[in-house]
Amino acid sequence: MPILRYLAIFGVARGTLFIAPLVLASVLPATEYGILEWAYATAAVLVNVVTLGTAGLVPVVMVGTSLPGVSIHGIRIQHLAVVMLCAGTVLAMLGARAEVWQVALLIGVLALQGLRSTQAKSDGRANASLLTDASLFGTMAVAAVLARLLMPQQTGVVVWLAASACALVLGSSMVAGIGRQEISQGVKDWIPTLKAGVPLMLTGLVATLVASAGRLGMGWLSDPVMTASYSVLSRGAALPIIAHQVILVARFRNVFVEETANLENILLAIIGLVTASACAVWILSPWLAWMLGPSFANAVATYRAEFLWVLSQAILWSAIALNDLVNNRFGTVGRVLKWSMPALFAMLAIGVWVIKSLGVSVSAFVKVHGMIMLTFYLVQIITMRSQGIKLKKLWSFTVGAYSFLALYAWLS
């Protein structure tokens, strides 16, 4: 029964994370949805910076590993400080620059959501963690649908009120669990906790940039309507990632205990299923489109070849995430990051220049973004090989599968 309950909640939570943005895209005007996606992508990147990666210390602290001066109280104090700063920014910018307070609000929500989810996961409460992850988008989607039915002219306002309600509930829950003694200990442990979190911040920043660079880049380089179109495509193209998550959750422990040969077979199975899922979504897209809402259907009809480009990038997303896990297993995160992080920032700068030179469009963006992801993956491979890690079958299959789908999209 516990397994069935977990699988049911996993399906509901991950389904919510997949469907809710598409619901928002169909309910909100394109301009408002594009701004929402840009604000979310920006907040997802900045939350790693302002929390200094301290949420990543939660599993280490809660399993009893000793880190001098680091405690769960210091982690909570940092998140409380971030939330207070975000709340002040929201209040100061209301009625002025909407994009500033929207990003600030989402940073606060994501900080609280991430901390609560990680605490639940580290405490063995996987179901609570899954539901927490889905809370923000789920709440905004439900609010948007109700507002569209009851007060259609205020739908956008209601969506942001729903995000504020999430921040209030999560924030109140955290504050209620902090007593005077915990605050005193947290202040004492604050600086050591921040110092311990910085390396995790850098790792999280790179991972988030890889995952969010598409929506973030489109939001900065284009207008909200184009951002909305690209975001809808990328949300739909996330469907193959569910295959990645299903196998990884089931075999997560094996990633850290299997022999290298068996490890490569497990990872190859994940990439193979993601590739097969991407192909299936592409083939079935004419039928899936209308099931996933009119906004997605219109985007796929307008940008069919571009949709395949974005789908193919799901393979790279999965492969990059698996490389990160392998580096965690072999303790090579820092040495790989030393090369991959500067390479990523250099590629992003070059990518911006190329897109501006070509002219900002969805077509140009997905191609350049794909090249950035592929180059980043190749830098990972080269650096990992220099550290003695050899996963030749996995890496060859990944590059071959992506290249085939990308070439097909180019010729379509």
Side-chain angles (χ1 to χ4, degrees):
M1 277 305 277
I3 294 177
L4 292 178
R5 187 183 302 113
Y6 170 76
L7 289 175
I9 291 176
F10 182 94
V12 170
R14 289 295 181 254
T16 299
L17 281 175
F18 175 72
I19 293 296
L22 297 175
V23 171
L24 288 166
S26 297
V27 172
L28 291 172
T31 300
E32 292 188 26
Y33 176 68
I35 292 172
L36 171 61
E37 284 284 12
W38 167 82
Y40 183 86
T42 303
V45 171
L46 292 179
V47 73
N48 285 289
V49 178
V50 296
T51 60
L52 290 178
T54 49
L57 295 170
V58 172
V60 179
V61 172
M62 293 190 71
V63 299
T65 303
S66 178
L67 288 175
V70 177
S71 71
I72 190 66
H73 309 305
I75 296 170
R76 287 174 177 164
I77 287 294
Q78 173 61 12
H79 282 71
L80 184 60
V82 167
V83 170
M84 291 173 65
L85 178 62
C86 291
T89 303
V90 170
L91 293 174
M93 290 296 173
L94 277 177
R97 301 191 61 181
E99 65 272 19
V100 176
W101 69 256
Q102 288 167 352
V103 170
L105 173 60
L106 290 176
I107 289 174
V109 178
L110 292 178
L112 291 166
Q113 183 178 264
L115 178 60
R116 187 176 181 84
S117 174
T118 307
Q119 282 185 264
K121 196 185 307 179
S122 303
D123 202 28
R125 295 178 289 119
N127 293 344
S129 174
L130 288 168
L131 294 174
T132 300
D133 289 339
S135 60
L136 174 60
F137 267 117
T139 302
M140 289 195 296
V142 170
V145 172
L146 292 176
R148 183 67 179 268
L149 294 173
L150 302 175
M151 49 181 76
Q153 300 301 319
Q154 302 298 322
T155 303
V157 174
V158 171
V159 166
W160 288 106
L161 286 175
S164 303
C166 277
L168 187 60
V169 171
L170 291 169
S172 299
S173 175
M174 185 179 75
V175 171
I178 301 178
R180 184 177 300 175
Q181 190 172 1
E182 285 82 2
I183 292 175
S184 176
Q185 185 64 44
V187 171
K188 179 182 176 182
D189 296 340
W190 194 3
I191 299 303
T193 300
L194 296 184
K195 290 179 179 178
V198 170
L200 298 178
M201 177 201 74
L202 297 175
T203 305
L205 181 62
V206 171
T208 309
L209 275 174
V210 171
S212 304
R215 294 188 299 277
L216 186 65
M218 281 298 288
W220 283 103
L221 295 174
S222 69
D223 59 78
V225 174
M226 198 180 296
T227 303
S229 297
Y230 173 81
S231 297
V232 169
L233 293 177
S234 67
R235 292 292 184 182
L239 197 55
I241 300 302
I242 294 176
H244 169 101
Q245 293 172 333
V246 168
I247 298 183
L248 192 59
V249 168
R251 305 297 298 273
F252 187 80
R253 184 175 181 277
N254 300 78
V255 173
F256 294 90
V257 299
E258 290 285 357
E259 296 293 331
T260 302
N262 293 334
L263 169 65
E264 185 170 25
N265 290 333
I266 293 171
L267 302 183
L268 194 55
I270 295 174
I271 291 294
L273 188 56
V274 170
T275 301
S277 300
C279 293
V281 171
W282 167 250
I283 293 169
L284 297 173
S285 59
W287 295 275
L288 285 173
W290 293 107
M291 293 172 58
L292 298 178
S295 181
F296 179 72
N298 292 334
V300 171
T302 305
Y303 301 107
R304 183 151 175 78
E306 288 80 1
F307 181 54
L308 180 56
W309 271 95
V310 181
L311 268 174
S312 67
Q313 290 162 20
I315 300 171
L316 291 178
W317 183 94
S318 175
I320 290 168
L322 293 178
N323 275 352
D324 287 339
L325 278 178
V326 172
N327 285 319
N328 279 331
R329 167 178 167 158
F330 291 107
T332 54
V333 173
R335 281 164 280 173
V336 172
L337 198 63
K338 179 181 176 181
W339 294 98
S340 62
M341 188 172 183
L344 177 61
F345 284 115
M347 288 182 291
L348 289 173
I350 294 171
V352 168
W353 177 78
V354 171
I355 290 170
K356 286 187 173 181
S357 299
L358 294 174
V360 181
S361 68
V362 173
S363 178
F365 187 87
V366 296
K367 293 170 185 173
V368 173
H369 186 223
M371 290 305 300
I372 290 173
M373 290 186 72
L374 179 60
T375 306
F376 178 79
Y377 184 61
L378 293 175
V379 171
Q380 272 191 322
I381 291 173
I382 293 169
T383 313
M384 289 170 72
R385 279 182 61 86
S386 73
Q387 298 301 316
I389 301 172
K390 294 180 174 61
L391 301 170
K392 186 177 179 181
K393 288 189 296 183
L394 172 69
W395 293 335
S396 299
F397 178 84
T398 299
V399 173
Y402 171 75
S403 299
F404 174 79
L405 290 181
L407 180 61
Y408 187 84
W410 193 300
L411 298 175
S412 296

